[in-house]
Amino acid sequence: MRMKHFFQITVTIMMLLTSTTAFAEHYMKQIQHTDPYTVMGHRQPASTATIETWLSDAAVLTKNHDGTSTLVIFAKQLAYIIKHSERSYAEMPLDVNKVINEMAKSGKDDKDSGVGAEAMGQMMSAMMQMEVSVKDTGEQQKIGEWQARKYIQTINMGMGTTVSEIWATEDLHADMSGYWKAVNVVMAGQKGYAEMISEMDKIRGVVVKTISRSQVMGSEVKTTSELVEFADKPAPAGTFAIPAGYRQVPMFGK
């Protein structure tokens, strides 16, 4: 089971690195489609989801299609994985090295694969090493109601390679520099983080469409994400807080 958790984490991080929106006081709605794929013998069917995101200077809340929410609070350097059906939440440090340590401290080996906790931590650490490059193609096209410019982003990591076609518009005004640091802060402890942030800053404006192809453990995962709503408005009260009455559970089962 721990290998399944490990795979879910790696895919989630790859998606975070290729899911791009704006950083400011904004509400965003995206439609995200993932083609079917098979990894480690597990076939995942195609899926289309609506993802809503609230952004502030202090926190980000993403409402996922599976009924969970992800809350990131920058001052605490923590992410909270909120499962509404169970009225529970788990804390995850915004540093991949701390995540690996938490996995190792849980002290359980993976019964399915025979991989020990310490060995899995070392494997995950190696797989998270990365190199990122962004190329401005100069190509322009209207995406939805916005005039957009095309960039090619390549992320090479131990766990796989992701090549993304990114369309960004300067029709929408938002400061992206803080956003890149926020969304990728989970990688802050890894070699290449500063260079990655510098590359991300080459993308000018708000990203309105991304087509990503990730090579993960020998399989391709293709995801298309498109911005369908962008609004400057205050978040409802309580948006950036754990719902009252929810109980904390371990990130990794004990």
Side-chain angles (χ1 to χ4, degrees):
M1 290 299 292
R2 289 174 57 80
M3 282 297 290
K4 292 180 183 178
H5 288 305
F6 170 64
F7 171 66
Q8 290 168 354
I9 290 170
T10 57
V11 171
T12 297
I13 290 172
M14 295 292 270
M15 296 303 181
L16 281 173
L17 289 169
T18 58
S19 177
T20 49
T21 46
F23 181 78
E25 297 284 348
H26 289 299
Y27 165 80
M28 285 159 292
K29 181 185 288 186
Q30 293 172 293
I31 302 298
Q32 181 174 288
H33 177 80
T34 302
D35 288 355
Y37 62 93
T38 301
V39 176
M40 296 174 62
H42 299 281
R43 179 171 175 78
Q44 301 295 325
S47 63
T48 299
T50 298
I51 300 174
E52 296 179 284
T53 302
W54 288 97
L55 296 151
S56 78
D57 292 335
V60 175
L61 177 77
T62 299
K63 296 182 178 180
N64 305 306
H65 69 283
D66 61 359
T68 66
S69 295
T70 302
L71 173 63
V72 177
I73 299 179
F74 305 128
K76 294 183 178 181
Q77 291 294 287
L78 288 172
Y80 299 89
I81 312 304
I82 305 169
K83 186 174 289 189
H84 298 287
S85 63
E86 298 181 1
R87 297 177 61 82
S88 67
Y89 68 93
E91 287 186 2
M92 185 178 78
L94 293 182
D95 184 329
V96 70
N97 292 314
K98 292 181 180 179
V99 174
I100 292 169
N101 289 338
E102 287 295 320
M103 180 183 290
K105 284 194 299 185
S106 68
K108 290 188 177 182
D109 298 341
D110 189 305
K111 296 179 181 179
D112 294 340
S113 65
V115 177
E118 183 177 353
M120 184 179 295
Q122 293 173 350
M123 179 173 64
M124 186 174 178
S125 181
M127 294 180 77
M128 297 305 292
Q129 300 300 314
M130 65 182 168
E131 294 180 356
V132 181
S133 65
V134 174
K135 178 183 178 182
D136 181 352
T137 70
E139 183 180 345
Q140 296 192 40
Q141 179 178 316
K142 194 165 186 179
I143 304 291
E145 58 187 279
W146 305 292
Q147 189 65 29
R149 189 179 186 94
K150 180 181 176 181
Y151 300 83
I152 299 297
Q153 173 188 272
T154 303
I155 301 173
N156 291 310
M157 303 178 71
M159 63 183 173
T161 298
T162 297
V163 178
S164 300
E165 176 183 314
I166 296 175
W167 294 87
T169 183
E170 293 185 83
D171 294 348
L172 298 172
H173 301 288
D175 180 7
M176 291 294 289
S177 59
Y179 173 76
W180 296 127
K181 294 178 182 178
V183 76
N184 295 303
V185 72
V186 71
M187 308 299 296
Q190 294 302 108
K191 181 179 179 181
Y193 173 76
E195 292 80 1
M196 178 189 69
I197 296 300
S198 178
E199 284 295 299
M200 295 294 194
D201 282 340
K202 292 180 181 178
I203 300 173
R204 301 198 303 271
V206 176
V207 175
V208 295
K209 186 173 183 178
T210 302
I211 303 171
S212 298
R213 291 177 171 82
S214 301
Q215 300 295 329
V216 182
M217 300 181 183
S219 297
E220 181 177 275
V221 181
K222 179 184 176 183
T223 301
T224 302
S225 180
E226 188 160 358
L227 185 67
V228 295
E229 184 177 344
F230 182 94
D232 182 2
K233 59 183 180 182
T239 294
F240 302 115
I242 302 296
Y246 280 37
R247 62 188 176 87
Q248 184 174 355
V249 298
M251 185 66 196
F252 300 102
K254 294 183 178 180

